[in-house]
Amino acid sequence: MTDRERLRTTFGEDAARYHRARPTYPPQLFARLRGPRILEIGPGTGQATLPLTRIGDVTAVELSPELAAVAREHAPQARLVVANFDEWPLPAEPFDLVVSATAFHWLDPSTRMARCAAALKPGGALAVISTHHVAGGTGQFFVDVQECYERWDPGTPPNLRLSPAEDIPREFDDSDLFEEPEFHGCEWEQAYDTEAYVDLLLTYSNHIALPARDQLIADIAQLIDTRYGGRVTKRYLTQLAVARVRSASSGGP
């Protein structure tokens, strides 16, 4: 198993924590999507699945059985399939919409666009939702916390700083199979007490797999408690990219 494959499987180690701690998605982004037949790739515990069920009939393909079990409870209207999307046999009936929320980067980059295109009916659309931590919120904390990362994670670049939202790259592969994507972004903030912030960190694959994870987490918790009164605010950018699949008559493959 490669390091990437190993990291991809860490999310199911504590599915309840993942569901409790991971941020949801701004509801206005879903107003831009249309069904009625929807395929969701990598639903996790269903943070995007539930709003998608209000748009159409959802089939959600999740790698982790543990995450899928929580998603079934959270979004019972959806059909949950436990499978690796990179290998999952596409159904004969194509979809109107394919969605991947904070999971698209885990798919095989050599095949993901072709597989998404093959899953769509003519005129159907691919929607990629990505979540980014950007400059803002309790700004000084995210400067100070780099000392913790540099102390316990040797791969941390020195003096790392958060980027402003406008500098975040747009997440969508170049592909002749799709028309030019439309991008929509939403910036928002979430406050965390120390326990909730630690919970969040322990849902990130690079933190879960870090050998000095416990030392890092304890160091960060102490920083929040002693210098920031037990509470910090994190600023997010949620980005939506939507592109329609090209038909044969429009020059696509």
Side-chain angles (χ1 to χ4, degrees):
M1 181 182 291
T2 66
D3 288 345
R4 181 177 178 276
E5 290 170 337
R6 181 173 57 85
L7 288 174
R8 190 180 178 188
T9 63
T10 60
F11 301 109
E13 292 182 8
D14 192 338
R17 170 181 277 146
Y18 188 99
H19 188 67
R20 178 177 67 243
R22 276 296 176 111
T24 55
Y25 300 97
Q28 59 266 40
L29 296 183
F30 295 97
R32 299 181 178 277
L33 304 179
R34 296 290 180 270
R37 183 170 157 78
I38 302 169
L39 171 64
E40 185 185 7
I41 305 169
T45 57
Q47 287 93 335
T49 312
L50 184 59
L52 287 173
T53 61
R54 303 185 184 113
I55 299 170
D57 295 324
V58 178
T59 296
V61 180
E62 170 55 49
L63 179 67
S64 165
E66 296 81 8
L67 297 181
V70 178
R72 286 192 182 98
E73 296 181 3
H74 183 60
Q77 307 94 323
R79 173 178 175 255
L80 265 294
V81 178
V82 177
N84 180 350
F85 176 74
D86 290 331
E87 302 169 356
W88 181 60
L90 296 175
E93 183 182 355
F95 295 89
D96 301 279
L97 176 66
V98 172
V99 181
S100 186
T102 321
F104 195 73
H105 57 285
W106 289 110
L107 303 179
D108 185 340
S110 68
T111 60
R112 59 194 178 196
M113 296 302 283
R115 285 185 58 78
C116 288
L120 287 164
K121 71 177 187 181
L126 169 62
V128 175
I129 300 172
S130 54
T131 302
H132 307 272
H133 181 196
V134 297
T138 311
Q140 188 58 44
F141 165 73
F142 296 106
V143 173
D144 294 341
V145 79
Q146 288 308 308
E147 295 180 8
C148 303
Y149 284 98
E150 291 178 26
R151 188 156 40 242
W152 299 111
D153 181 1
T156 301
N159 301 313
L160 185 66
R161 297 292 181 264
L162 291 168
S163 298
E166 57 267 24
D167 290 347
I168 298 298
R170 292 177 166 184
E171 185 173 330
F172 200 87
D173 295 357
D174 290 333
S175 174
D176 292 337
L177 298 172
F178 288 87
E179 297 176 2
E180 193 71 19
E182 294 182 2
F183 291 93
H184 309 277
C186 180
E187 292 183 61
W188 55 285
E189 293 186 346
Q190 177 71 49
Y192 297 92
D193 62 20
T194 304
E195 182 180 2
Y197 193 72
V198 165
D199 249 4
L200 176 67
L201 294 181
L202 289 173
T203 69
Y204 295 151
S205 59
N206 58 340
H207 288 66
I208 295 170
L210 185 69
R213 176 188 65 188
D214 293 345
Q215 295 94 321
L216 171 66
I217 294 299
D219 210 1
I220 293 173
Q222 183 180 34
L223 175 64
I224 297 173
D225 285 338
T226 57
R227 290 198 220 169
Y228 293 91
R231 195 168 186 84
V232 294
T233 297
K234 188 171 185 177
R235 188 167 184 82
Y236 291 98
L237 166 68
T238 303
Q239 184 186 98
L240 168 66
V242 184
R244 297 205 171 275
V245 67
R246 293 186 188 274
S247 62
S249 60
S250 66

